[in-house]
């Protein structure tokens, strides 16, 4: 019997957190082993708000890439109330800044410098619309009276609809979508509106956070949703629509920050991201749709060439390490101790 394998162009992770310093040096090699490029989220403390900072961060990330591996970080600026049209023009001209990220103030990890009112960012957004630099959205409202499970849907209905109206030509990626409403919005939108989908939101519904007790490694933002949402995300991912592509949102937090009385939001999946997606696609009888989702549609959206070189996944059960080092700390990946059905052959 021959063992099934799947070979395709080196993929891109179009939503990734690598942090900085020692933690960054621990996680960058894991992503570089799997992906040729990644959209690097700018939510550091302080955030990456200028092209100059993005250039310095780029060099630090490159210095963490192991010898012999080619990996290109695609840099992103963090939009604030103070981002100027001039900075947007500089970003576009830099060639290494590929997008600008919108975090509603207070919505997620390190988002205190985020936008308090989109009207404050009007000049920057108009310039982005003009020069074609995409806006990446953490799509959640933060009002205390909105249920945490409704934050994305309310964002889509109240904010996104207005954004589309005010900036009709603005290229947008609704990041880490989690609901059927978000999937439908993107499906119905024109080609310059896209979405990334994480492995956790396709593998699990919100029961995973509470299975037999509270499970911090399944807590991320936007939070896992209902089963019908999970199904809608899988349907979008395997639909063959180029508007949906891979973005892990792998978000490293030290074990003691996750397993805590106020645990941080974020699932760590960089150690086995492709294998987790392969599981999703195989479960949906659509493993043949994985290559374009992982290696083509994201590149197309960002106007980048398909990567040279290939990766190969083999149908082989294996159990990843249950813990890794994160600088001088430890990190626990999602699904620690559980077997995966596919294995990336390096
Ligand atoms: C991300 C992080 O830790 O930086 N956390 C998360 O739960 N997704 C931030 C984000 O992407 O919203
Ligand atoms: Zn986010
Ligand atoms: Zn993220």
């Amino acid at each position: 019997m021959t063992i099934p394998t799947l070979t395709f162009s080196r993929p891109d992770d179009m939503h990734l957190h690598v942090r900085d310093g020692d933690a960054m040096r621990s996680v960058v090699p894991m992503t570089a082993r799997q992906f040729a490029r990644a959209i690097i989220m700018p939510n550091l403390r302080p955030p990456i708000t200028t092209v100059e900072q993005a250039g310095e961060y780029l060099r630090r990330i490159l210095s963490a890439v192991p010898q012999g591996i080619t990996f290109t970080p695609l840099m992103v600026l963090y939009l604030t109330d103070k981002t100027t049209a001039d900075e947007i023009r500089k970003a576009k001209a830099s060639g290494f800044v590929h997008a600008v990220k919108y975090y509603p103030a207070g919505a997620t990890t390190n988002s205190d410098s985020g936008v308090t009112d989109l009207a404050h960012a009007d000049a920057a957004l108009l310039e982005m619309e003009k020069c074609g630099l995409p806006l990446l959205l953490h799509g959640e409202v933060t009002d205390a009276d909105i249920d945490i499970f409704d934050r994305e849907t309310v964002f889509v209905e109240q904010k996104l609809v207005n954004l589309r109206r005010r900036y009709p030509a603005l290229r947008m990626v609704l990041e880490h979508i989690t609901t059927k409403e978000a999937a439908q919005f993107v499906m119905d939108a024109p080609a310059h509106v896209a979405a990334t989908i994480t492995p956790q939101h396709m593998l699990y519904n919100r029961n995973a956070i509470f299975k037999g007790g509270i499970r911090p490694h399944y807590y991320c933002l936007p939070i896992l949703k209902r089963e019908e949402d999970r199904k809608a995300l899988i349907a979008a991912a395997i639909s063959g629509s180029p508007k949906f592509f891979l973005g892990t949102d792998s978000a490293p937090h030290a074990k003691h920050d996750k397993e805590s009385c106020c645990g941080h939001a974020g699932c760590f999946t960089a150690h086995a991201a492709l294998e987790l997606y392969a599981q999703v696609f195989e479960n949906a009888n659509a493993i043949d749709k994985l290559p374009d989702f992982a290696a083509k549609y994201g590149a197309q959206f960002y106007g980048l060439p398909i990567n040279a070189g290939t990766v190969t996944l083999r149908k082989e059960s294996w159990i990843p390490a249950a813990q890794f080092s994160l600088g001088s700390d430890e990190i626990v990946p999602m699904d620690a101790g559980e077997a995966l059905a596919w294995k990336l052959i390096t």
Side-chain angles (χ1 to χ4, degrees):
M1 201 189 90
T2 55
I3 300 167
T5 62
L6 184 68
T7 298
F8 52 96
S9 300
R10 287 187 74 203
D12 299 310
D13 183 350
M14 294 310 194
H15 183 131
L16 178 69
H17 302 268
V18 296
R19 315 303 187 205
D20 210 342
D22 291 343
M24 175 193 73
R25 283 186 281 278
S26 299
V27 297
V28 163
M30 298 192 213
T31 290
R33 194 176 70 85
Q34 295 222 328
F35 297 95
R37 296 177 293 220
I39 285 277
I40 306 293
M41 289 296 143
N43 61 331
L44 303 184
R45 255 178 214 283
I48 302 295
T49 56
T50 66
V51 177
E52 196 183 331
Q53 289 167 342
E56 287 159 10
Y57 188 28
L58 168 65
R59 280 188 287 281
R60 294 199 295 280
I61 297 169
L62 285 175
S63 74
V65 176
Q67 286 275 313
I69 297 185
T70 50
F71 175 72
T72 308
L74 308 170
M75 306 311 289
V76 176
L77 292 191
Y78 186 117
L79 186 69
T80 73
D81 288 352
K82 298 192 185 89
T83 308
T84 61
D86 193 48
E87 200 63 35
I88 298 299
R89 280 187 288 272
K90 266 193 231 160
K92 180 69 185 176
S94 75
F96 59 82
V97 176
H98 294 266
V100 179
K101 182 70 189 273
Y102 164 74
Y103 290 100
T108 187
T109 305
N110 300 349
S111 62
D112 343 323
S113 327
V115 176
T116 55
D117 184 342
L118 272 164
H120 298 158
D122 190 56
L125 292 169
L126 286 171
E127 188 58 35
M128 287 164 62
E129 186 180 34
K130 203 163 110 195
C131 73
L133 204 58
L135 178 68
L136 315 184
L137 299 137
H138 180 105
E140 289 193 291
V141 296
T142 54
D143 318 45
D145 56 342
I146 303 289
D147 193 285
I148 186 168
F149 294 100
D150 298 332
R151 285 180 177 181
E152 183 179 271
T153 303
V154 174
F155 181 89
V156 169
E157 286 165 358
Q158 294 184 357
K159 305 280 171 181
L160 203 49
V161 169
N162 288 340
L163 261 176
R164 288 273 308 118
R165 215 172 281 145
R166 168 101 183 111
Y167 314 99
L170 181 62
R171 304 175 58 69
M172 286 187 207
V173 184
L174 191 51
E175 297 293 333
H176 47 45
I177 58 168
T178 64
T179 57
K180 60 182 194 307
E181 288 82 7
Q184 193 61 49
F185 181 91
V186 173
M187 201 73 94
D188 295 342
H192 64 277
V193 177
T196 53
I197 314 182
T198 76
Q200 64 267 24
H201 292 104
M202 293 195 282
L203 284 167
Y204 299 108
N205 63 37
R206 61 194 190 176
N207 290 342
I209 313 166
F210 307 105
K211 195 177 159 194
I214 193 145
R215 295 189 177 249
H217 300 291
Y218 295 90
Y219 171 58
C220 67
L221 290 172
I223 200 160
L224 296 175
K225 298 295 190 310
R226 296 169 180 77
E227 181 61 8
E228 68 206 58
D229 295 305
R230 188 182 77 88
K231 290 207 174 104
L233 300 179
I234 295 170
I238 67 171
S239 68
S241 162
K243 286 192 275 187
F244 299 95
F245 46 82
L246 186 156
T248 61
D249 193 22
S250 177
H253 291 277
K255 179 177 176 172
H256 60 81
D257 287 329
K258 292 286 294 173
E259 300 175 5
S260 138
C261 65
C262 188
H264 296 192
C267 298
F268 181 68
T269 54
H271 67 301
L274 277 180
E275 290 95 333
L276 290 163
Y277 280 107
Q279 188 75 67
V280 171
F281 280 71
E282 180 176 51
N283 291 349
N285 284 318
I287 195 78
D288 58 310
K289 302 284 201 222
L290 180 60
D292 286 353
F293 177 81
K296 184 175 170 195
Y297 299 149
Q300 255 172 16
F301 182 87
Y302 281 99
L304 298 166
I306 303 293
N307 294 302
T310 59
V311 288
T312 297
L313 287 163
R314 183 166 62 201
K315 190 83 192 279
E316 177 187 324
S317 180
W318 67 292
I319 301 178
Q323 201 160 294
F324 299 91
S325 21
L326 182 72
S328 54
D329 288 315
E330 251 93 58
I331 186 164
V332 177
M334 191 177 80
D335 291 349
E338 287 178 35
L340 289 163
W342 290 82
K343 186 166 193 195
L344 178 68
I345 311 170
T346 40

